[in-house]
Amino acid sequence: MNIIDRATIDKIMSAANIVEVVQEFVTLRKSGVNYKGLCPFHNEKTPSFFVSPTRGICHCFSCGKGGNAVTFLMEHEQMTYPEALKWLARKYHIEVKEKELTDEERQAESTRESMFIVNEWASGYFQRLLHEHEDGQAVGLQYFRSRGIRDDIIRKFCLGYDLPSRDALPQEAIKKGYKEEFLVKTGLCYKRDSDGRLNDRFAGRVIFPWFSVSGKIVAFGGRLLDSRTKGVQLKYVNSPDSEIYHKERELYGIYQAKRAIAKENCVYMVEGYTDVIAMHQAGIENVVANSGTALSYEQIRMLHRFTPNIVLLYDGDEAGIHAALRGTDMLLSEGMNIKVLLFPDGDDPDSFSRKHTTEEFRQYIDGHQTDFIQFKTDVLLTGVTDPIKRSEAISSIVRSISVIGDQIIRATYIHDCSQRLGIQESTLISSMNKFIRQQRADRRQAAEREQEAEERRQEEALAQQTAAPARPAAPVQRDHRQEVEMMIVRLIVRYGERNITVKDEDDCPVTLPVAEYIDSDMAADDLHFQLPVYEKIRQEAVAQSADKDWTAENWFLHHHDVDISKTAAELSVERVRLTKSLQKDVDEETLRERVIHLMADFRLDYVENRMKEIKQSLNGVTDADTMRSLMEEFSRMQIIRNALARQLGNNIIV
Ligand SMILES: [Zn+2]
């Protein structure tokens, strides 16, 4: 199903800049001709994720994931192919003319995509109510303005308003053709117990949409207005977890903040929606909120891909201080540098900003950040004289220091603490080492448990395999054939357009592109690749190689067929650093030998398998004619095999 036409796909493919696309999710630093950053697909503290702008691909040398701009988005954002294309089209201002979908095609749209579409519509609906409906203007807009929020900021965060009636939104949505199923799945509505009718979850609230890091609306937060907050109803209501929204993976404001976070190399962490908005209004855009709970590992890792520096902003009251201390060891152990900023008199960024000018607000933020360990020492030890409490506090501080990965930073903190607390450095160090040993033991145990679980899984898989009917082909043989096929296809992808000179049947030299040679050599014996995608690549390569300007690698890496471009990306980077593989300086002679050698290897493999098959067939044959013809084929294969083996033996390539 392709709902976007080929010309548009090609336009999108050539506009997409891999560095810009990846940078939407990871801060990249220049590294030679490439860029590198922390891999968004696995957890790491030193970068092994490379992006090659010249080749238009990215690749992680640790976990192996990557691809071109489209496959990167599909993998990282769990987008479908059309979703990824549309996302890129929006980014590069390319108009997408979508075909009118048939019912069947609409059915096939993924659930996730349908949920995003419903959320997108709902956000537009809430915004229209806020700006155009008279209740929205009188109640919602009035509320935001009374909180000092400027109109441009209201637009920037797509704030909205929902009518008090619980039926209005579902009725409007159904009328517009959105399915009940997705209204419920996104959490916009829930079913009434009594009669199963749909109820609007956010009725009568002002609306704060949550954008994912890629700019899709994943959830909504709704706040009751001041006059109605009395009584039992909750002041804030959020979308429940769903297929597109996992509370512990999202951060409010990340989409609007990510550029500034990368640019400032720092992120401010606040508590609520309005704090984020107040900061933006003061011109500080590198700010996110996670609504109360402690940060999860997923959230920390997402931030870490943009910057290692975080400043926690909290009210200066008891609760705020407690919140600031919560979950901080997790940040430290993930390699983040933490600073803390407390507002005076129980103010939060929102309330503080309303009492001061923008300039004063900014100055306060710049001038009142404290190093985290120092902050923790001050909070836990100021005025504490009870020896047991003091010892507990010191222990907690040392534990925080012990989770920091960098040895030099740890040593510096220990030195500072020793000075400030008047405790011998050696005492603190031995206490810290105890913590470190404990953490290592814990990690080892966890790793062992994981290892045991893995072994169990493998044993079970093996048991299942043996229980299943025996397969005829030996697995070792199959692996070798796969390997050879992969290497041949890699030659097509990387060097398909390059000319080599070989001898034809009459021993005359002919010059032809690698892709064509491989294809005709296979066709001569009616050989095929086992993987369908390899066959697709082979056929395309032959068709394209007639074109003088064709370069195989570029063509395949950005192919509109995701199957092909993904395979090409894997083949083109595997086991080779991007920097090295950039040099396509294999000379013709080496290339020619490599091609011929691999083709001989491929054929040898085929011949040996065929010989085995013949032997097996011979066992059951009683008919003399069949037996004779099988024997003849066998001896033909034997001759070919010996010739191939000789050729390979003489032609060993290192
Ligand atoms: Zn990785």
Side-chain angles (χ1 to χ4, degrees):
M1 178 192 73
N2 245 341
I3 58 162
I4 303 170
D5 64 87
R6 267 295 296 282
T8 312
I9 296 178
D10 291 344
K11 214 153 110 194
I12 293 169
M13 287 291 198
S14 56
N17 174 327
I18 187 75
V19 177
E20 291 169 5
V21 172
V22 173
Q23 237 155 3
E24 299 273 347
F25 308 90
V26 182
T27 296
L28 296 171
R29 313 229 176 271
K30 198 116 183 33
S31 164
V33 294
N34 298 312
Y35 291 79
K36 67 176 176 178
L38 292 176
C39 175
F41 296 108
H42 82 280
N43 178 28
E44 64 176 8
K45 289 177 191 127
T46 49
S48 45
F49 192 72
F50 279 75
V51 180
S52 163
T54 44
R55 305 172 76 205
I57 52 170
C58 55
H59 183 75
C60 174
F61 283 97
S62 185
C63 71
K65 296 215 165 142
N68 66 23
V70 172
T71 51
F72 171 81
L73 285 171
M74 289 172 68
E75 179 104 43
H76 187 261
E77 288 298 292
Q78 306 281 295
M79 289 182 187
T80 59
Y81 182 50
E83 275 182 290
L85 286 171
K86 278 187 259 176
W87 187 94
L88 286 168
R90 206 173 315 155
K91 181 172 170 67
Y92 291 101
H93 311 291
I94 295 166
E95 197 194 347
V96 174
K97 287 200 202 75
E98 280 181 53
K99 286 191 330 202
E100 195 62 39
L101 294 185
T102 65
D103 282 352
E104 219 166 65
E105 285 168 332
R106 213 178 268 288
Q107 282 292 332
E109 271 187 343
S110 76
T111 303
R112 288 172 50 86
E113 193 171 0
S114 306
M115 290 168 75
F116 284 127
I117 291 169
V118 168
N119 274 353
E120 186 81 41
W121 169 81
S123 173
Y125 171 80
F126 294 140
Q127 289 182 72
R128 275 194 303 282
L129 287 177
L130 181 77
H131 294 285
E132 291 162 21
H133 194 282
E134 56 178 17
D135 286 1
Q137 290 172 340
V139 184
L141 207 53
Q142 177 52 33
Y143 167 78
F144 287 131
R145 286 182 180 154
S146 75
R147 307 270 302 193
I149 303 177
R150 292 195 314 255
D151 284 9
D152 62 311
I153 299 290
I154 293 175
R155 296 268 184 199
K156 183 176 186 182
F157 284 87
C158 302
L159 306 181
Y161 174 73
D162 194 10
L163 297 171
S165 152
R166 295 234 174 248
D167 302 317
L169 178 138
Q171 276 168 11
E172 181 71 9
I174 300 290
K175 204 170 85 193
K176 286 270 183 308
Y178 298 100
K179 283 199 202 137
E180 189 177 307
E181 179 192 355
F182 301 117
L183 290 168
V184 173
K185 276 198 168 147
T186 51
L188 277 164
C189 297
Y190 58 91
K191 280 195 177 165
R192 236 178 304 197
D193 285 338
S194 51
D195 54 4
R197 283 178 59 191
L198 290 184
N199 256 6
D200 177 356
R201 185 182 303 271
F202 297 99
R205 292 168 188 267
V206 287
I207 305 290
F208 300 83
W210 281 65
F211 290 89
S212 73
V213 67
S214 67
K216 286 163 166 282
I217 297 172
V218 290
F220 295 95
R223 188 194 194 284
L224 269 192
L225 301 183
D226 288 340
S227 60
R228 307 150 150 265
T229 50
K230 294 179 207 99
V232 287
Q233 280 177 298
L234 290 169
K235 194 158 132 191
Y236 278 102
V237 160
N238 282 320
S239 301
D241 270 23
S242 71
E243 268 177 67
I244 57 171
Y245 176 61
H246 302 276
K247 247 190 295 312
E248 73 285 357
R249 288 187 213 154
E250 304 290 341
L251 287 162
Y252 182 76
I254 185 71
Y255 177 62
Q256 289 89 347
K258 61 186 178 179
R259 257 168 244 277
I261 296 173
K263 189 162 155 263
E264 308 289 332
N265 193 17
C266 169
V267 60
Y268 292 106
M269 186 79 220
V270 296
E271 280 177 288
Y273 307 135
T274 50
D275 297 322
V276 170
I277 289 169
M279 301 272 285
H280 270 262
Q281 192 146 312
I284 300 165
E285 299 186 340
N286 48 328
V287 55
V288 296
N290 73 327
S291 293
T293 50
L295 281 169
S296 71
Y297 276 117
E298 282 101 338
Q299 289 167 328
I300 296 171
R301 280 165 199 161
M302 171 156 63
L303 291 175
H304 197 173
R305 291 200 290 272
F306 290 104
T307 179
N309 302 308
I310 187 166
V311 183
L312 310 172
L313 273 63
Y314 289 101
D315 334 346
D317 61 12
E318 191 93 20
I321 290 171
H322 249 92
L325 290 178
R326 212 171 354 129
T328 39
D329 282 4
M330 225 151 84
L331 279 163
L332 291 170
S333 73
E334 286 294 307
M336 299 289 278
N337 309 312
I338 315 177
K339 285 189 171 167
V340 177
L341 192 153
L342 293 183
F343 285 92
D345 312 322
D347 265 331
D348 53 32
D350 181 23
S351 60
F352 186 86
S353 76
R354 274 183 280 140
K355 293 179 196 159
H356 297 85
T357 65
T358 299
E359 199 38 49
E360 284 166 348
F361 183 51
R362 295 194 63 128
Q363 270 172 10
Y364 188 86
I365 285 175
D366 287 341
H368 290 78
Q369 300 178 13
T370 324
D371 175 85
F372 173 72
I373 298 292
Q374 198 183 326
F375 167 80
K376 189 164 178 176
T377 313
D378 290 346
V379 168
L380 294 183
L381 285 170
T382 306
V384 175
T385 47
D386 177 63
I388 294 178
K389 284 207 172 124
R390 263 187 89 78
S391 140
E392 277 170 6
I394 291 166
S395 184
S396 166
I397 293 160
V398 171
R399 182 198 293 271
S400 287
I401 297 173
S402 77
V403 301
I404 298 171
D406 189 311
Q407 212 177 336
I408 296 168
I409 298 177
R410 277 204 311 260
T412 316
Y413 277 131
I414 288 289
H415 182 74
D416 277 6
C417 274
S418 139
Q419 302 260 304
R420 267 144 40 89
L421 305 176
I423 298 171
Q424 276 195 348
E425 218 169 312
S426 60
T427 312
L428 293 177
I429 289 173
S430 81
S431 156
M432 176 177 78
N433 285 342
K434 220 158 52 203
F435 283 124
I436 292 177
R437 270 197 300 277
Q438 184 58 44
Q439 285 151 19
R440 281 190 189 143
D442 289 349
R443 268 201 300 273
R444 223 180 4 255
Q445 254 181 14
E448 274 166 20
R449 271 198 301 276
E450 180 49 37
Q451 169 91 25
E452 276 168 25
E454 177 59 33
E455 278 167 14
R456 251 198 321 279
R457 275 196 293 274
Q458 280 180 4
E459 272 168 29
E460 277 162 21
L462 207 66
Q464 271 181 359
Q465 265 179 22
T466 16
R471 295 187 187 141
V476 183
Q477 287 281 345
R478 276 220 315 277
D479 280 355
H480 178 69
R481 172 148 182 203
Q482 272 171 4
E483 179 93 350
V484 172
E485 286 193 6
M486 187 194 74
M487 288 194 283
I488 294 171
V489 178
R490 180 184 289 154
L491 286 177
I492 300 179
V493 167
R494 299 204 54 206
Y495 307 107
E497 81 282 4
R498 293 264 306 261
N499 278 330
I500 51 171
T501 303
V502 290
K503 297 217 171 99
D504 69 5
E505 282 162 6
D506 307 320
D507 235 16
C508 295
V510 287
T511 300
L512 75 178
V514 166
E516 212 180 310
Y517 172 76
I518 290 174
D519 177 69
S520 58
D521 202 31
M522 286 173 70
D525 288 318
D526 197 24
L527 299 177
H528 297 276
F529 292 127
Q530 285 172 312
L531 285 182
V533 65
Y534 286 177
E535 274 296 306
K536 275 202 265 185
I537 289 174
R538 170 188 165 189
Q539 278 150 23
E540 283 242 358
V542 178
Q544 296 299 326
S545 64
D547 179 353
K548 287 265 173 302
D549 299 324
W550 182 66
T551 44
E553 189 168 40
N554 196 34
W555 173 265
F556 287 120
L557 284 177
H558 304 286
H559 202 277
H560 61 91
D561 181 336
V562 175
D563 218 12
I564 291 180
S565 60
K566 225 175 140 51
T567 307
E570 278 159 23
L571 291 175
S572 117
V573 285
E574 207 187 349
R575 284 195 228 121
V576 196
R577 284 263 158 191
L578 278 175
T579 37
K580 266 192 202 156
S581 55
L582 271 174
Q583 301 150 8
K584 293 182 70 174
D585 58 356
V586 182
D587 61 56
E588 200 205 307
E589 185 51 28
T590 316
L591 185 58
R592 190 185 70 89
E593 292 212 348
R594 214 181 279 173
V595 173
I596 290 174
H597 176 89
L598 276 172
M599 288 311 292
D601 203 351
F602 184 48
R603 191 170 277 119
L604 179 64
D605 210 67
Y606 171 81
V607 168
E608 283 179 341
N609 270 326
R610 182 69 197 132
M611 285 168 71
K612 224 178 275 153
E613 278 170 21
I614 296 171
K615 261 196 210 160
Q616 261 164 10
S617 319
L618 276 171
N619 281 336
V621 174
T622 46
D623 169 49
D625 282 346
T626 319
M627 189 173 294
R628 190 173 331 108
S629 89
L630 281 172
M631 297 283 282
E632 274 168 18
E633 192 188 352
F634 191 83
S635 56
R636 253 197 335 271
M637 289 290 158
Q638 233 168 355
I639 294 167
I640 299 173
R641 186 199 59 188
N642 294 345
L644 285 169
R646 253 198 318 280
Q647 185 191 344
L648 284 167
N650 293 340
N651 231 337
I652 299 220
I653 312 267
V654 274

